[in-house]
Amino acid sequence: MTWKAILVGSILRISLAAMLFSDAALNAASPQIELIGKLAIRGDHRDATEDQRKLEDGSHANQFGGLSGIEYRGTGNRFLLLADRGAGDGAVTYHCRYHEVELAADPATGTLSFQLESTHLLHTLAGEPLVGSSAAHQQHQHNKNAKHAWTAFDPEGIRLLADQSLLLSDEYGPHIVVVDPSGRISYEFTVPDKFRLREPENGVVQQGIYSNRGLEGIAVTPSGNRMIALPQSPLIQDAVIEDGKCLGLNCRSLVFDGNHNCIREIVYPLDNLASGTSEILAIDEERLLVLERDSKAGLEAKTKKIFLIDIAGASDVSGIESLPKTDLPENIIPAKKSLLIDLLEPRFGLGGENAHEKPEGLCWGPRLADGRRTLWVCCDNDFDASISSEIYCFAVDGLDR
């Protein structure tokens, strides 16, 4: 064998070893995902308020459901579940609320357990009920009296703060508020004006959040010094209105500092024009998870995904009045994005005919005995008594740095 053949053989062996090492390193770094279990709560389940009244559409005032957000209390198996605006898509004066529940996962049996502990009603700073009525929201929009306080609320995101108060986001205003342990609003963030829901001018809305596409999720980083709120879809000025839908890929998120000041707006790129965001959850100060989905159930469902994003190098677009519907200019860098979990992946058994229309909430739960983190997902049944509220628990390994 000549020296050239020996050299070529050595180079090939080194290259192959490098490739194998690279693949092994990549695989080792890839998070490992396991579905621990799935829980279904009957659509006619009642909450803990004992309110026996019936609302305008005949739905029960104490009907459990509409789960739009989930958060871990930080000890034991205690979680918070946030209900949205009630039955009938805003047609009723449902008193907004959240629930405290016990949720436990048993990896050995692949089962989840659920126990409702209490229900807490939400109130304005003045003590008035926060209601999911779209009529109440429209009344506030049209009321020119500056002293008229808003009472309409469509809760979508919930996070526990260090002082045990709650951070909530909603779709109507949209609003971001801090709620004290009694359920009363104690503070409201200032949301940039460009995100406000506007009234039509000459029959057309030119700016702001598109109706019912407000702040779907909110995240708090581990330090507590950064909070990120994410709308369901792009702002009207960053999209095109077609067939009653706000279509675009570039979804602005709001970044607040520890003093509740909005310091940045960054772009989260949606996967396709048919999907929107449902939740955002912090891993650390720069990495987050985003739940993105379409509005289809069963075999028609195509997108029910949890993405890992990194906002470290994302551009601040707060000074940009309007973004393109799809492609961004080269000088605008969106959040980096990669797929973590496809909920419709066959191995999980959550897709096909079983696909729930609305996976809505995400939170971390207690670690398992083997050190893996638990990631919990809750699904919104729109208070439909014929549809179960579903909760999933995943074990996630490999995201810690």
Side-chain angles (χ1 to χ4, degrees), residues 63-379:
Q63 187 166 330
F64 182 90
L67 304 182
S68 61
I70 183 171
E71 178 69 325
Y72 179 48
R73 267 290 188 191
T75 58
N77 295 312
R78 185 61 62 97
F79 288 78
L80 307 175
L81 289 171
L82 181 68
D84 63 17
R85 61 180 174 170
D89 287 334
V92 299
T93 50
Y94 177 78
H95 193 162
C96 299
R97 65 200 67 186
Y98 71 92
H99 314 283
E100 295 210 32
V101 303
E102 289 282 320
L103 287 172
D106 185 349
T109 61
T111 59
L112 307 182
S113 63
F114 166 85
Q115 178 64 45
L116 175 62
E117 297 293 333
S118 59
T119 298
H120 304 265
L121 301 175
L122 299 174
H123 296 85
T124 69
L125 185 62
E128 296 181 83
L130 285 172
V131 295
S133 165
S134 58
H137 174 55
Q138 291 168 6
Q139 179 184 8
H140 173 68
Q141 273 195 298
H142 297 307
N143 194 312
K144 303 305 180 183
N145 181 357
K147 294 182 180 180
H148 178 75
W150 58 270
T151 57
F153 202 58
D154 185 3
E156 294 293 344
I158 181 169
R159 294 294 170 224
L160 184 69
L161 299 177
D163 64 358
Q164 299 303 298
S165 59
L166 300 176
L167 183 67
L168 305 181
S169 65
D170 104 300
E171 286 200 302
Y172 275 152
H175 302 287
I176 301 174
V177 298
V178 177
V179 174
D180 68 23
S182 75
R184 181 177 292 198
I185 291 176
S186 59
Y187 180 83
E188 182 175 2
F189 284 41
T190 299
V191 173
D193 193 56
K194 69 163 69 75
F195 281 78
R196 291 292 181 190
L197 185 65
R198 307 291 186 86
E199 291 188 66
E201 296 181 10
N202 298 320
V204 179
V205 180
Q206 302 286 352
Q207 290 186 330
I209 288 290
Y210 194 67
S211 180
N212 202 35
R213 308 290 285 187
L215 296 177
E216 275 284 328
I218 195 159
V220 180
T221 62
S223 71
N225 292 324
R226 182 175 290 177
M227 303 162 201
I228 300 97
L230 187 61
Q232 188 172 357
S233 66
L235 301 179
I236 292 172
Q237 59 265 38
D238 300 331
V240 174
I241 308 301
E242 295 179 2
D243 299 324
K245 297 179 180 179
C246 185
L247 301 178
L249 297 181
N250 299 313
C251 197
R252 297 185 195 228
S253 62
L254 293 166
V255 182
F256 295 85
D257 64 15
N259 295 317
H260 310 147
N261 298 312
C262 185
I263 55 173
R264 294 169 65 197
E265 294 174 19
I266 58 179
V267 175
Y268 171 79
L270 290 167
D271 240 27
N272 57 71
L273 295 174
S275 68
T277 72
S278 281
E279 186 61 283
I280 185 166
L281 173 67
I283 302 170
D284 50 40
E285 299 302 304
E286 304 289 355
R287 296 181 304 153
L288 304 105
L289 300 182
V290 172
L291 176 56
E292 187 175 333
R293 64 169 179 83
D294 56 23
S295 297
K296 302 293 184 180
L299 296 174
E300 294 184 356
K302 303 300 179 186
T303 302
K304 315 287 183 189
K305 296 177 179 179
I306 301 172
F307 290 98
L308 171 64
I309 71 167
D310 192 322
I311 65 173
S315 302
D316 178 10
V317 296
S318 58
I320 299 176
E321 182 177 342
S322 178
L323 297 170
K325 173 185 173 183
T326 53
D327 297 332
L328 286 171
E330 291 183 1
N331 63 328
I332 297 179
I333 301 172
K336 294 179 181 177
K337 176 181 176 182
S338 61
L339 180 64
L340 179 70
I341 302 174
D342 183 349
L343 296 174
L344 301 181
E345 190 176 331
R347 69 183 173 117
F348 298 134
L350 304 175
E353 294 180 350
N354 299 319
H356 202 287
E357 179 186 345
K358 291 186 173 182
E360 287 270 334
L362 287 177
C363 78
W364 299 112
R367 289 184 182 268
L368 299 174
D370 59 14
R372 289 181 296 171
R373 301 182 79 169
T374 57
L375 178 66
W376 295 75
V377 183
C378 68
C379 298

